[in-house]
């Protein structure tokens, strides 16, 4: 039995008997008598306890010889929030596998990014997730392939390479093994087909999901040329491993607790091999793996955050599609208003970003990459000289790999590396950890917006800030709830942190 340390077999079985959707994606149930594995909420008749085993990942169930249930589609679930809470090597590796690193760079490339030898990383992944990196990548490819088969008119050859398979034969064999059917069987008459050149997917999120609040935050931070938004949607450009792309997200509230909702994502990709990477980055952006019920339960009786959670259940921490971009934009925003920071960022995009062709009005450029910004004369940047030097120094560190924001390295090591750079202080480093690294437990005690929010709620900011350890391990969500109180209908963003240019 390969259950995680958090779940014993009896607890897992109780969740299966209750068909509790809250546990979808946290473990998987394999049934010996049928040879299939399911999500905990599968509507099929509950098997006997003696006939089931529990697995921490679809890859573990597949490695044990089970195929995916065609009724509940167990691979189409949000990921485990434990990966971001613990930020273990296995969790960091899973984020990179989902981004397609194994397909592009192999196991050696994955291990190098995480900071382990390939052999040691394989041992860690088998111990924690029940499968090695190749099996985990294979399971991810199979899931991507199934979604593309069922929702697009792409040819099977295009789907094979878009999902990351090295050959059509490998694609056919994997689909048959995992889903007990051919690609033709899966396609059938299911799903709404998209036109060739676009890929439409549904990103699973746990509920409650405060989609409108997330959209408002993203819309207020728009950088001209890179992002646009409208009622119920947000779109942006993507700088992907094999070429540029765009994504449009249709985002609404889904407030019924304990369900699985979906954010519709429409991708236009220069190279279909970037499908997995584009999907993973969109999932990061909407904080798709958050467990909002666990967050809500943690704050339920807190006198400060509890009422805010009740007013906006399912509030997410907006993530990112590119960690380097988040870091650069954070430095641009030091000691200026959000509107001012977006204007400056837009000017930099126009001057140094790469132009792309897009069918979405307003999406004209990719955000400038670190290598480009590292060569810019700080004196020419539209900001104070000290901040310009800090930005170019950061870009150089990102381009050289001294700082890596791909979620591979240990978070504490990344923070230390950031703080070693001139002009980067604790506020900037921690904000980058929250947005770029997906850290769920960041708090910014010196942030003026936090103190204004607490004072506006009638609390003593000094006393509350001194006692925020009680909010662990979800302090990033507490921070977002406080900032959310400052946001009117258009959702202005939080006040920026202290001056870190010295």
């Amino acid at each position: 039995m390969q259950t995680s340390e958090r779940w014993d077999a009896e607890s897992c079985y109780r969740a299966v008997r209750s068909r509790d959707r809250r546990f979808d994606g946290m473990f998987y149930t394999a049934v010996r008598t049928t040879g299939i594995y399911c999500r905990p909420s599968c509507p099929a008749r509950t098997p006997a306890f003696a006939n089931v085993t529990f697995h921490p990942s679809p890859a573990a169930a597949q490695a044990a010889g089970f195929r995916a249930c065609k009724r509940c589609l167990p691979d189409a679930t949000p990921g485990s929030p434990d990966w971001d809470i613990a930020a273990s090597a296995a969790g960091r590796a899973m984020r990179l596998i989902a981004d397609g690193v194994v397909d592009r760079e192999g196991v050696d490339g994955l291990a190098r990014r995480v900071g382990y030898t390939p052999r040691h990383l394989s041992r860690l992944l088998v111990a924690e997730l029940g499968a090695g990196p190749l099996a985990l990548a294979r399971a991810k490819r199979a899931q991507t392939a199934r979604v593309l088969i069922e929702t697009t008119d792409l040819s099977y050859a295009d789907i094979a390479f878009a999902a990351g398979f090295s050959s059509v034969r490998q694609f056919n064999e994997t689909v048959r093994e995992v889903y007990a059917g051919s690609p033709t069987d899966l396609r059938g008459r299911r799903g709404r087909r998209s036109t060739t050149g676009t890929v439409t997917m549904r990103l699973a999120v746990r509920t409650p999901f405060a989609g409108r609040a997330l959209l408002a935050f993203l819309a207020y931070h728009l950088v001209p040329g890179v992002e646009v938004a409208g009622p119920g949607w947000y779109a942006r450009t993507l700088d992907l491993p094999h070429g540029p792309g765009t994504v449009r997200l249709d985002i609404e509230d889904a407030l019924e607790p304990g369900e699985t909702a979906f954010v519709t994502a429409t991708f236009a990709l220069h190279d279909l091999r970037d499908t997995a990477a584009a999907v993973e980055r969109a999932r990061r952006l909407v904080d798709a793996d958050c467990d909002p019920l666990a967050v809500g339960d943690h704050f339920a009786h807190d006198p400060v955050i509890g009422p805010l959670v009740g007013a906006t259940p399912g509030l997410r921490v907006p993530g990112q599609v590119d960690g380097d971009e988040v870091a650069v934009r954070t430095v641009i925003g030091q000691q200026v208003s959000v509107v001012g920071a977006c204007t400056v960022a837009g000017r930099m995009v126009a001057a140094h970003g790469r132009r792309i062709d897009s069918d979405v009005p307003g999406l004209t450029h990719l955000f400038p990459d670190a290598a480009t910004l590292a060569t810019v004369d700080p004196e020419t940047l539209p900001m104070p000289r000290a901040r310009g030097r800090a930005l170019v120094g950061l870009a150089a560190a990102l381009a050289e790999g001294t700082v890596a924001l791909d979620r591979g390295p240990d978070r504490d090591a990344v923070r230390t590396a950031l703080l070693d750079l001139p002009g980067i202080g604790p506020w900037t480093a921690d904000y980058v950890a929250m947005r770029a690294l997906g850290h769920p437990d960041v708090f910014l005690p010196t942030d003026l917006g936090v103190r204004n929010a607490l004072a506006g709620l009638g609390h003593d900011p000094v006393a509350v800030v001194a006692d925020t350890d009680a909010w662990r391990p979800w302090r990033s969500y507490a921070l977002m709830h406080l900032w959310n109180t400052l946001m009117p209908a258009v959702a202005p963003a939080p006040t920026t942190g202290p001056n870190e240019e010295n």
Side-chain angles (χ1 to χ4, degrees), residues 266-398:
T266 302
F267 301 94
L269 305 176
H270 174 76
D271 192 318
L272 285 174
R273 290 177 295 173
D274 285 325
T275 301
V279 170
E280 175 61 16
R281 294 173 197 200
R283 295 183 74 258
R284 293 178 199 165
L285 188 63
V286 300
D287 196 10
D289 293 336
C290 170
D291 183 354
L293 294 181
V295 175
D297 289 346
H298 184 75
F299 291 117
H301 302 293
D302 186 88
V304 178
I305 305 300
L308 305 182
V309 173
T312 313
L315 187 67
R316 296 307 205 257
V317 176
Q320 49 84 16
V321 299
D322 187 292
D324 293 1
E325 177 186 320
V326 166
V328 169
R329 289 173 63 167
T330 303
V331 171
I332 292 172
Q334 290 176 352
Q335 286 300 294
V336 296
S337 69
V338 172
V339 174
C342 291
T343 300
V344 171
R347 292 170 62 185
M348 289 179 54
V349 166
H352 304 290
R354 181 154 53 98
R355 289 194 66 88
I356 66 167
D357 294 326
S358 169
D359 292 334
V360 181
L363 296 186
T364 59
H365 289 75
L366 298 176
F367 195 85
D369 60 61
T372 298
L373 292 176
T375 65
V376 173
D377 181 354
E379 303 291 327
T380 66
L381 294 174
M383 61 188 67
R385 293 178 181 177
R387 193 178 309 144
R389 291 193 296 269
L391 189 151
V392 172
L394 169 65
L398 293 168

Side-chain angles (χ1 to χ4, degrees), residues 391-414:
L391 189 151
V392 172
L394 169 65
L398 293 168
E400 295 165 359
T402 306
V403 176
L405 300 176
D406 60 5
R407 295 197 178 191
D410 177 77
R411 287 170 180 160
D412 291 338
V414 174

